[in-house]
Structures are given as structure tokens and as C-alpha cells.
Amino acid sequence: MARSMHVRRPATLASLAAELGVSRTTVSNAYNRPDQLSPELRRRVLETARRLGYPGPDPVARSLRTRKAGAVGLLLTENLSYAFRDPAALGFLEGLALACEDAGQGLHLVPVNPEREDVAAVHRAGVDGFVVYSVPDDDPHLAAVLSRPVPTVVADQPIVDGVDRVGIDDRGAITALAQRLIALGHRRVGVVCMRLARDRNDGFAPVERQHAAHFHVQRARLAGIADAFTIAGVEWSRVPVVERFDHSTASGASAAAQLLDSDPQVTALVCTSDILALGALAEAKRRGLRVPQDLTITGFDGIPDGERIGLTTVRQPVLEKGKAAGKLLLGTVDPTRPREITLETELVTGATAAPPRTAEERWFGP
């Protein structure tokens, strides 16, 4: 005959309160509002809970009761690994995490594939608000976020009426960099940029595509470069701009190769990110080109790998940007607060930019 087995049922909040001879509110406060109890009483509640096997308040039930998830959602229209692979994204993520820690909030990553629409991931995210990190203005996931009745802050892009935003002056920052190259004597330049739209284009980006770009950060950076060189007498439509959908050093290398093959006389490559610039540097080395003697290469972001090699770039405060986005989202609701925070950038004059070589220097050079 099978022996009957008696399995002790796990303790509940009610049974724990009965065991201790206290109210259920007292038990709940031991977990959720410890400042309401004396240290001795809270210790007794937690010790008895461990002895009886009480796991603590059900977070799902608590969120249903309070209608608060206790977490901030970060919408990232990239694969999840991108957040930990791209140094600028990682710095932003760290800053946002610090702001969440200070506010006692969790952080819920909501990554979505840039080539596949999955707005359900946005709708099922249990969060109290969203930080949207650098998405195009026509992104369906952004529309899904804005359809939810929770506060939202945009970091970098896009600019949405009535939605708080944290960013930098991309156009002004890269204009200063372009002016530096012009002062050095560069007029024959090429540009390597990040994706301009949700459709994949790994090739040259004509002026029409630049102007119609749905990623306004890239649109602004290209416009800033164009502003400076147009004033210097360069016809912008003749400046080769190569776009890459994937943001990686491999993409930077292949884009640089495509551009240099099309115009070997280019004296400077202006890259709209440090990651792309690092790839361009690798391609220059593969071709036996010396930087900056034979070719000037610049970036944008100020990531550690670029700093280590002395990359000429624009440094932006990515960690502070993440903090600012988190504080703006988690701060008290104040109708007079600023709707937009613009952080300062710094032009870094590194070791990868120099005056262009003359024709004679090219002829007799190694």
C-alpha cells in the first residue's frame, strides 16, 4: 500500500502573521516599508519567514494592487547584445542604471530587432515608463511606446513634440570638427556614416537620401559637415558618403574600402562614429596608408578605444546622458521643468588628423 505523504504547504502572509501574532500589514511592512518597524521586530519577522518558508510578497500581486511595476523600460531597436558591445550604448546604459539605482527602480531592457517589427514586446513590458534610445522617427516600436499611458523620455533621437528629450548638439559639434579639417587644408574628403533609415543600404548615400534620413542624429551630423565644407567652397554633392546599416568596425573597414576604391585621392575620412573610424583605421593600415601622414581619419563619440590610440573625434558625455534621461523620467512631475536637456561636447584634437600631403609628397613617399 502506498504511503501517504504529507507535504507542508508554504507559508502565506496570513499564516506568518498568525504565527507571529501581528497584523498582515506589519509583515508586509517588514518587506516593503522597513522604516515603519523597529529593527528588532523586522528581524523577528524575517527570521520567522525563513523558518516557515515564506518567500515574501508576490511581486506580481503587488504590482496589480499598486499598479506600479517598479521598473523603467529601455527601448533599444537593436539586438540585445548591441547594448553590451557598443561602448557608447554601454556608457549610456550604465548612466541610466545608476539613475534607476538612486531611485530604487529596476531596469527592463526591451530590445527589438531593427529588421523585424515586434511591437508586442513593447506592449507586454511591465514598466512604469520608457526611455527610448536613439530610434528613427518612423519606428513602429516608438509609436507603440507613445501609445501607452506612461511617461517617456527620448535619448538622442527622434525629436517628438511634447516628449522630454536628452541629447547633444550633433550638428554644431561635428561642424567644429569639420572646420578643424578645413583649417588643416583638407578639401577632398569622404564620409562614412551610420544607417540613415530602417531599410538596409550598404553603399553610397546620395544627397536626397541624406536629407530624407529618418535617423535625425545622422542627418544632423551630415548636415554639419556639409555646412562647413560648403562654406569652404566644396560642392557637397561631389563628396562621397558611404552608409552602413550595421554599426561595427567591420562595417567601418568595408565602407572605407569602398570609398577609397572610388576616390583614391581623398585626403580625409570623416566618420560619424568612433566605431566606424576604428574600422577605417584598420582598412588604412591594410592598404599601407599611414595615418595621419597619408590619410586623416576622424570619429565621433569619444569611446575608450579611440582615446587610447589618440583618435581625433568629438567626445560626448554618454554616461551623463543616461543619468539625465533616467532622472528626467523618474523625477517629480513638474509642468515647468525643461522639456529638453542638451549636454556639452568636446572637440578632441588627437593624433589621427594632419594637413594633407602634397602631390610631390605622395609621389616620393613610401
Side-chain angles (χ1 to χ4, degrees):
M1 180 182 295
R3 214 170 30 169
S4 64
M5 299 188 65
H6 299 281
V7 179
R8 187 177 70 179
R9 298 178 64 183
T12 64
L13 185 145
S15 65
L16 178 58
E19 173 76 14
L20 289 161
V22 299
S23 69
R24 286 182 292 181
T25 299
T26 296
V27 174
S28 176
N29 284 343
Y31 290 91
N32 300 318
R33 301 177 67 190
D35 60 304
Q36 300 297 305
L37 306 182
S38 68
E40 175 58 29
L41 178 55
R42 182 170 187 261
R43 182 190 60 77
R44 188 159 64 89
V45 170
L46 297 180
E47 285 184 354
T48 305
R50 282 193 293 270
R51 177 168 58 82
L52 297 182
Y54 176 61
D58 183 352
V60 175
R62 181 176 182 273
S63 66
L64 289 174
R65 184 174 65 255
T66 64
R67 303 189 68 81
K68 292 291 185 180
V72 169
L74 172 61
L75 178 69
L76 181 74
T77 52
E78 298 286 348
N79 294 317
L80 180 58
S81 60
Y82 180 85
F84 301 96
R85 188 177 66 247
D86 180 88
L90 187 59
F92 176 85
L93 181 60
E94 181 183 357
L96 179 58
L98 289 171
C100 289
E101 288 175 7
D102 289 343
Q105 296 289 303
L107 180 58
H108 179 68
L109 297 184
V110 189
V112 289
N113 191 304
E115 296 184 278
R116 185 173 64 247
E117 185 175 324
D118 180 21
V119 297
V122 173
H123 289 300
R124 63 173 175 259
V127 298
D128 299 320
F130 281 96
V131 172
V132 177
Y133 181 60
S134 198
V135 305
D137 54 27
D138 63 344
D139 194 292
H141 307 97
L142 170 65
V145 165
L146 297 178
S147 72
R148 293 190 53 175
V150 295
T152 299
V153 171
V154 170
D156 287 335
Q157 57 189 344
I159 297 174
V160 182
D161 288 341
V163 177
D164 290 354
R165 175 179 170 269
V166 177
I168 61 172
D169 179 5
D170 290 277
R171 188 167 185 162
I174 207 163
T175 296
L177 176 63
Q179 289 170 338
R180 169 64 180 163
L181 298 183
I182 291 167
L184 288 172
H186 292 281
R187 298 295 184 274
R188 195 155 185 174
V189 299
V191 179
V192 174
C193 73
M194 296 166 63
R195 76 177 74 135
L196 300 177
R198 289 194 293 139
D199 63 302
R200 180 177 285 272
N201 174 48
D202 290 316
F204 289 97
V207 171
E208 296 76 19
R209 182 174 176 84
Q210 297 172 35
H211 290 168
H214 288 284
F215 284 91
H216 94 254
V217 165
Q218 293 301 300
R219 187 171 71 239
R221 292 180 189 178
L222 290 174
I225 304 168
D227 289 344
F229 279 98
T230 299
I231 292 173
V234 176
E235 185 180 340
W236 182 250
S237 62
R238 299 177 64 86
V239 174
V241 176
V242 177
E243 176 187 355
R244 283 295 182 267
F245 189 86
D246 295 321
H247 188 220
S248 65
T249 54
S251 292
S254 66
Q258 184 176 5
L259 199 153
L260 291 171
D261 285 344
S262 71
D263 188 357
Q265 301 306 312
V266 162
T267 64
L269 293 182
V270 185
C271 303
T272 62
S273 81
D274 285 354
I275 290 290
L276 295 177
L278 293 175
L281 286 165
E283 175 60 20
K285 182 177 180 180
R286 189 188 70 81
R287 291 173 177 248
L289 296 173
R290 297 175 302 168
V291 177
Q293 295 92 333
D294 301 321
L295 181 67
T296 282
I297 296 177
T298 65
F300 195 109
D301 283 331
I303 66 174
D305 283 349
E307 289 186 1
R308 278 192 286 271
I309 63 171
L311 180 65
T312 296
T313 187
V314 172
R315 181 185 295 123
Q316 61 166 318
V318 290
L319 188 142
E320 288 74 13
K321 187 188 295 181
K323 281 185 180 180
K327 289 179 179 179
L328 196 55
L329 184 71
L330 296 166
T332 57
V333 178
D334 179 359
T336 65
R337 70 183 181 181
R339 306 297 294 184
E340 183 165 350
I341 296 175
T342 302
L343 302 173
E344 295 294 323
T345 59
E346 178 188 358
L347 176 61
V348 179
T349 305
T352 62
R357 295 179 64 175
T358 65
E360 290 76 13
E361 287 174 321
R362 288 183 182 276
W363 178 261
F364 291 108

